[in-house]
Amino acid sequence: MNYPTLNTFVAGYPINLVGTSGQAIEISIHSPSQYICANCERILPDWKHQLFLWVVIVLQQSRYEMIVSTPEIEAEKQKLREKFMRFGLDVAFNLRDRGYFTDLIDPRTGYPLLSHPGIIPHDDTAVVKALLGYPIIENKCRVLVHPKWGMAVYPSILLSVAPPAILKKAIQNIAPLHGWKKID
């Protein structure tokens, strides 16, 4: 089946990885979407007066399409969420130790893990749509359509004030610690 492709990795710094189970991971670094710019203090109240902000999109290939809710799909979502959170926390603490505000958004709740939660949640799916142009299917929950993986994709977001080159280096150094290997 062919899926539409729009604006893939327009910001650069794409990092293509594969996990130990053979599932692909795509990571890209972007300027924030208009939604994040307009609502930053409502999403991340601790981040007032930050002049620069970068969005790191982490897409993990799922074994299942995320269109329906079954026990297998819910278990897969939990597994992918945990993988992202372990990886994201390592990246975030690495950057925070170097003085860069960094946080990851819990994909389940939409709230930051290391900062005080704001009055509105972050919407990972909407941000991926805005920054990568991937279509969304409206269902009980909104589902992304990846150009290669279809609806078998689990999106996650990390936010940081670290410059893209520093983000990329931290990601590349930490990914192998989680069994994620770089592919070309």
Side-chain angles (χ1 to χ4, degrees):
M1 182 174 218
N2 290 330
Y3 297 100
T5 304
L6 300 169
N7 302 327
T8 306
F9 300 119
V10 291
Y13 292 100
I15 302 167
N16 294 303
L17 306 164
V18 65
T20 54
S21 64
Q23 291 167 257
I25 300 106
E26 293 179 353
I27 302 175
S28 56
I29 302 166
H30 304 266
S31 296
S33 66
Q34 289 180 352
Y35 177 81
I36 293 174
C37 290
N39 294 291
C40 187
E41 289 184 18
R42 295 171 59 197
I43 298 169
L44 297 160
D46 296 348
W47 289 41
K48 291 180 183 172
H49 312 297
Q50 295 301 318
L51 298 177
F52 299 99
L53 173 67
W54 296 96
V55 177
V56 178
I57 298 175
V58 178
L59 301 176
Q60 295 179 77
Q61 184 179 23
S62 170
R63 294 184 301 149
Y64 308 105
E65 291 194 334
M66 300 289 181
I67 197 71
V68 296
S69 178
T70 66
E72 294 83 12
I73 291 173
E74 293 308 313
E76 177 78 353
K77 285 181 185 177
Q78 183 61 25
K79 181 183 94 176
L80 296 173
R81 176 178 173 259
E82 288 174 8
K83 282 184 178 186
F84 165 71
M85 291 173 79
R86 285 187 185 105
F87 168 76
L89 285 170
D90 282 352
V91 171
F93 284 124
N94 176 286
L95 294 169
R96 288 168 79 104
D97 287 348
R98 295 192 275 157
Y100 297 108
F101 274 104
T102 304
D103 208 333
L104 57 156
I105 304 297
D106 183 341
R108 183 185 301 149
T109 67
Y111 290 104
L113 290 179
L114 302 174
S115 305
H116 290 98
I119 59 172
I120 61 172
H122 184 271
D123 185 338
D124 294 354
T125 304
V127 169
V128 173
K129 179 180 170 62
L131 296 177
L132 292 178
Y134 292 174
I136 293 176
I137 293 176
E138 298 288 338
N139 199 4
K140 285 186 178 181
C141 66
R142 297 175 329 174
V143 179
L144 283 171
V145 180
H146 186 279
K148 294 178 189 165
W149 312 332
M151 294 171 283
V153 58
Y154 189 82
S156 312
I157 301 291
L158 188 135
L159 302 167
S160 183
V161 299
I166 291 174
L167 281 165
K168 182 178 181 183
K169 187 77 171 156
I171 290 165
Q172 289 175 327
N173 288 339
I174 292 169
L177 303 175
H178 294 269
W180 294 359
K181 296 179 185 173
K182 187 173 182 191
I183 56 172
D184 296 320

